Amino acid sequence: MKRNKFICLIMAIAMSALLCGCDKRDLPDDIENQLSTALFINADGFISCTKVKGKYKEFAESCFDDIEIYGAKFALPMNVSDLPEGFTVDEDQSPKSYYNGYKTANVNLYFEGVTAAHAEIMYPANSSQSEGQIVTLTFTEWLLNPGFSFRMGGEFGYLSMNRAAELLGECEKREYMIYALENDRTIRFQYLNTDENSSDCNAFSVTLTTADMGVN
C-alpha cells in the first residue's frame, strides 16, 4: 500500500512537470499536447536518467539535430514524408492506440531494402502512417544492421561508457546509461555488461527519442 501511494505521488509530480508547456519543434499543437501528457513507468520501477547540463548540452542537442544514416542527414522529430531518397519504412499492421485518437506505429527504417534502424511513428488515427512523424529511432549494432554504424552529432553513434561520459556528462555505468534533455528527449545506450573492463566497449544499442515513450 505504501509503495502504491508513493508511486502515485511521484506520478502526480511527474505529470505536473510534463504539463508545464514544452515547445516541441515542428510538432503540430495537437500532437505536442499528446506527447506532453505521456508518462511511462518501467515494470521494475522508475529508471533514472542523468540530466544533461552545462557544457554537455551542445553535443546532446546535436545528437537530435545531426543524425547521419548511410550518409543521409536526419533530425528528430521528422515527418515520414521528409525521409531522404532511398529510405522507406514498412507499414505497421497493428498500430497501438495512444491518447485521444492518436496511434503509434513500430516499424523498421530501410535504406535500399536494408534495415538501418527501428523507428516509432506517431500520427492521428484518422490519418495514414505516411502523414505521421518519426519520434524515436533505435540503432542496434548486431541485431538490425550488422556491420553498419551511424553518426550523431558528428560522432560514431555506438559510444562507449567512457566516451558517453566525456561528451554527455558522468552517468552511473551500468547496463543502461540514459541521458535526458528538455522536451522529453532522451539518449539511451545499452551495454552487454558493466564491469570496469567494459567501460571502453561500444554500446550495442542506442535509442534517441523525442517523446517520453518509455525506456524499458
Side-chain angles (χ1 to χ4, degrees):
M1 180 66 71
K2 287 183 178 180
R3 173 182 167 80
N4 290 338
K5 287 183 178 179
F6 176 74
I7 290 177
C8 289
L9 176 61
I10 297 299
M11 287 179 67
I13 295 171
M15 188 67 75
S16 296
L18 290 175
L19 292 173
C20 65
C22 297
D23 217 6
K24 292 200 165 45
R25 298 163 306 155
D26 303 324
L27 285 175
D29 289 342
D30 50 355
I31 293 184
E32 175 189 332
N33 291 337
Q34 304 308 314
L35 297 182
S36 295
T37 59
L39 180 65
F40 288 80
I41 302 175
N42 181 266
D44 298 322
F46 291 93
I47 295 181
S48 62
C49 299
T50 294
K51 187 173 182 179
V52 180
K53 300 178 181 178
K55 65 179 182 180
Y56 302 109
K57 276 192 171 184
E58 182 176 355
F59 174 74
E61 294 278 354
S62 71
C63 290
F64 296 91
D65 297 334
D66 181 14
I67 304 167
E68 185 177 316
I69 307 174
Y70 285 110
K73 294 294 185 179
F74 286 71
L76 287 180
M78 71 177 297
N79 296 327
V80 175
S81 58
D82 291 334
L83 283 172
E85 184 177 355
F87 287 87
T88 57
V89 292
D90 47 19
E91 187 75 23
D92 187 347
Q93 300 302 316
S94 303
K96 300 175 183 176
S97 296
Y98 184 80
Y99 287 103
N100 298 331
Y102 283 82
K103 293 184 177 181
T104 57
N106 296 294
V107 299
N108 287 325
L109 173 70
Y110 301 99
F111 176 66
E112 297 182 348
V114 176
T115 305
H118 179 76
E120 192 156 29
I121 298 169
M122 188 173 182
Y123 61 101
N126 58 358
S127 300
S128 68
Q129 178 181 299
S130 62
E131 297 176 69
Q133 291 191 318
I134 298 173
V135 294
T136 298
L137 284 174
T138 298
F139 303 90
T140 306
E141 191 170 33
W142 45 267
L143 290 177
L144 291 177
N145 34 45
F148 161 75
S149 64
F150 75 103
R151 299 181 73 82
M152 57 184 190
E155 288 278 335
F156 172 76
Y158 297 108
L159 299 179
S160 68
M161 292 181 184
N162 285 342
R163 187 59 176 157
E166 284 180 26
L167 294 170
L168 294 163
E170 287 298 327
C171 181
E172 183 180 351
K173 294 181 178 179
R174 52 185 180 178
E175 180 184 0
Y176 293 102
M177 287 174 65
I178 306 171
Y179 292 90
L181 277 165
E182 295 87 354
N183 297 345
D184 299 327
R185 292 171 296 170
T186 59
I187 307 168
R188 182 186 71 177
F189 302 95
Q190 186 172 5
Y191 301 89
L192 289 174
N193 55 64
T194 56
D195 59 44
E196 287 297 323
N197 296 325
S198 68
S199 293
D200 283 318
C201 294
N202 295 330
F204 75 84
S205 178
V206 181
T207 298
L208 297 167
T209 184
T210 57
D212 192 4
M213 305 293 284
V215 290
N216 53 354

